Amino acid sequence: MGRRWAARLSLVAGVAALLVLVVFGGLVSLVLMGVGWAGLALSAAGVWWMLTHTGRIRVLAVLLLVAVPLAVLALYTAAGLLWVVLVSLGLWALAVFAGRAALVEDAPPGMPEHPARRAERPFLIMNPRSGGGKVAKFRLAERARALGAEVVVLDPDRPQDVAELAREAVRRGADLLGVAGGDGTQALVAGVAVAHGLPFVVISAGTRNHFALDLGLDRKNPARCLEALTDGVELRVDLGYLRAGGPEGPEAPEGPTEPGTEVVFVNSASFGVYAEVVRSPAYRDDKVRTILEMLPDLLAQESGTRLSVRGDGPALDAPQAVLVSNNPYQRGDSAGLGRRERLDTGELGVLGVHVGNAAEAAELLLRGGQQGRGLTETTAREVVVDADAPVIPVGVDGEALTLPTPVRCRLAPGVLRVRVPRHRPGVRMGAPPMDWRRVRRLALTMGRAAAGRGPA
């Protein structure tokens, strides 16, 4: 019933948005709406020119970004139709919001939970710098020790090998490993846990906590993650591996290997523009300036490496950026910043971006980041990223690495035993992209079914 009425609301709001334009503004308002869309496309082109040029052209692009919206607003105001356009846009936004809500199907069953006995000798590694000091703020070390865990708080002034710390703990008899820190640290210790068949605990003490988000953990209060030590269940999730400079045939090992021969990732590995920028020594000191200085040559592919991607999905030739993720992100999440609904599908998500000119950049923006020219989204069991260079930069769970080519990306299905609290927020289903045909069919079909004139 709720989905039916959301679909109906979407259709009504969409029609009302058009009627407001026609009734109160006539053809003039429709022309001005077209001007608005043209202004949006021109602004997208201005962003592209700003990112791909330097000097005078960049200055002109910035001026264009400022002038175009002001000019469009001035035209609306001069015609006395600014309020009409704003009301119409509000109704259109409501239509899209309601339509996407209507398309959210009943949540599929989550990842299966398995019973877990309480660990006798849990071992946790905590990074006091992660998340702006969440370890100290939430007294995570003290709380974990009170639950019987051995805790090592990393020394911020002395680099330490967290994977070796975990292996040493295993040699001393640890029967559970865990990390309070960023996703890069999570991945290193998760690899050790898999290699020794031990359960793994994620404590959301990092900055973004993407892995914790997709496990349905509480990111606001990382102390709640410690409940997994006393009242937890297990999820069997996939783990990503990068084999640098390895064989190109199917003879790569099927199962997980000891860290050191392969690089582990829990979220994603990025290649191309982002990885090139992040590895720059100047990036940490001045991110914005470094990006603006490096992007023109990288996007024009006058610097950096020329990538090629092949696997059991579509091949990509010379993409500017590639994101390979441990399970695909929700459809339409082109930046990989949202959620993965599951971490146990056994498939890599592959996103390739190649924008060659301002028109393609504008189209990508107007399509809302959906698949089309300039953007390729697919899934694969295995992916090989090669380049015209012996080594390439790779961003692995936010950490900058340099790896020999080719780089083989694979997924080890269900190998990571993640111990999570029995009671946790869970994973929310995201709204799918807007599809007017599906919304119309949903509203009318369900309406007929409710009246007894069609199938339920």
Side-chain angles (χ1 to χ4, degrees):
M1 181 68 71
R3 292 178 60 205
R4 182 186 73 190
W5 284 108
R8 288 178 171 179
L9 175 61
S10 176
L11 293 180
V12 170
V15 172
L18 297 177
L19 288 176
V20 165
L21 286 176
V22 174
V23 172
F24 293 97
L27 294 178
V28 175
S29 63
L30 296 179
V31 172
L32 290 179
M33 182 60 75
V35 170
W37 281 106
L40 183 60
L42 196 56
S43 296
V47 172
W48 172 256
W49 290 325
M50 183 187 71
L51 295 178
T52 55
H53 293 83
T54 59
R56 294 181 179 178
I57 295 181
R58 174 171 286 175
V59 172
L60 291 175
V62 172
L63 293 176
L64 181 68
L65 287 174
V66 175
V68 168
L70 292 177
V72 172
L73 288 176
L75 284 173
Y76 289 166
T77 303
L81 296 174
L82 179 60
W83 72 272
V84 174
V85 174
L86 292 178
V87 170
S88 178
L89 288 176
L91 288 169
W92 190 259
L94 174 62
V96 172
F97 176 81
R100 294 184 66 188
L103 294 176
V104 175
E105 300 177 359
D106 294 335
M111 292 183 285
E113 297 181 356
H114 303 272
R117 64 179 180 84
R118 182 167 178 171
E120 296 181 1
R121 301 189 63 181
F123 176 79
L124 305 179
I125 297 174
M126 299 189 178
N127 185 347
R129 286 185 172 176
S130 291
K134 289 181 180 178
V135 169
K137 178 181 178 181
F138 291 92
R139 300 178 56 250
L140 297 179
E142 293 89 337
R143 293 182 177 187
R145 290 184 178 118
L147 295 174
E150 178 185 353
V151 180
V152 170
V153 179
L154 300 177
D155 185 347
D157 300 319
R158 183 169 61 91
Q160 293 170 274
D161 186 338
V162 294
E164 183 55 36
L165 287 174
R167 284 191 286 267
E168 176 59 31
V170 174
R171 288 191 285 267
R172 295 198 311 271
D175 58 356
L176 178 146
L177 300 176
V179 172
D183 288 334
T185 308
Q186 300 280 359
L188 292 172
V189 180
V192 178
V194 169
H196 294 279
L198 297 180
F200 180 68
V201 167
V202 175
I203 304 170
S204 56
T207 302
R208 296 179 180 85
N209 299 300
H210 284 171
F211 193 43
L213 172 71
D214 297 329
L215 290 169
L217 299 177
D218 191 332
R219 295 194 301 167
K220 295 181 179 179
N221 183 6
R224 287 192 59 189
C225 299
L226 294 173
E227 296 174 11
L229 298 177
T230 56
D231 184 22
V233 294
E234 277 190 6
L235 306 177
R236 309 289 170 82
V237 307
D238 306 336
L239 198 61
Y241 288 86
L242 303 178
R243 166 170 290 201
E248 298 189 44
E251 63 270 18
E254 293 282 335
T257 61
E258 188 73 9
T261 57
E262 289 184 301
V263 178
V264 178
F265 63 96
V266 294
N267 293 326
S268 62
S270 59
F271 305 81
V273 171
Y274 172 75
E276 293 275 3
V277 171
V278 170
R279 78 162 177 172
S280 170
Y283 178 75
R284 292 188 181 275
D285 296 329
D286 193 341
K287 292 181 173 59
V288 174
R289 182 176 179 179
T290 303
I291 291 172
L292 291 176
E293 287 180 349
M294 295 184 65
L295 275 183
D297 288 341
L298 291 173
L299 292 176
Q301 297 189 325
E302 294 177 0
S303 67
T305 54
R306 182 183 177 91
L307 301 175
S308 64
V309 181
R310 62 187 187 279
D312 48 6
L316 304 177
D317 183 41
Q320 292 151 326
V322 177
L323 182 78
V324 180
S325 59
N326 173 9
N327 285 261
Y329 283 93
Q330 290 177 358
R331 184 183 170 199
D333 179 23
S334 304
L337 299 176
R339 290 177 179 265
R340 292 163 290 178
E341 294 171 355
R342 299 186 69 103
L343 292 170
D344 62 350
T345 67
E347 288 189 314
L348 296 165
V350 183
L351 173 70
V353 178
H354 187 281
V355 180
N357 52 53
E360 291 182 2
E363 179 186 355
L364 192 61
L365 176 65
L366 295 175
R367 288 175 62 91
Q370 298 301 306
Q371 185 162 336
R373 278 200 313 169
L375 182 67
T376 301
E377 288 181 278
T378 187
T379 59
R381 296 283 180 175
E382 187 176 88
V383 172
V384 177
V385 180
D386 210 344
D388 58 354
V391 296
I392 55 173
V394 186
V396 182
D397 288 334
E399 302 293 329
L401 302 179
T402 301
L403 300 178
T405 55
V407 178
R408 178 180 301 278
C409 312
R410 69 178 183 90
L411 212 58
V415 296
L416 183 59
R417 299 166 50 197
V418 181
R419 188 76 56 85
V420 297
R422 188 181 306 275
H423 305 290
R424 58 194 184 279
V427 179
R428 288 186 307 158
M429 289 288 292
M434 185 60 179
D435 186 330
W436 288 106
R437 290 183 180 179
R438 286 185 59 200
V439 168
R440 178 179 176 276
R441 187 164 58 246
L442 180 64
L444 298 181
T445 301
M446 295 184 73
R448 290 194 296 269
R453 295 194 300 273

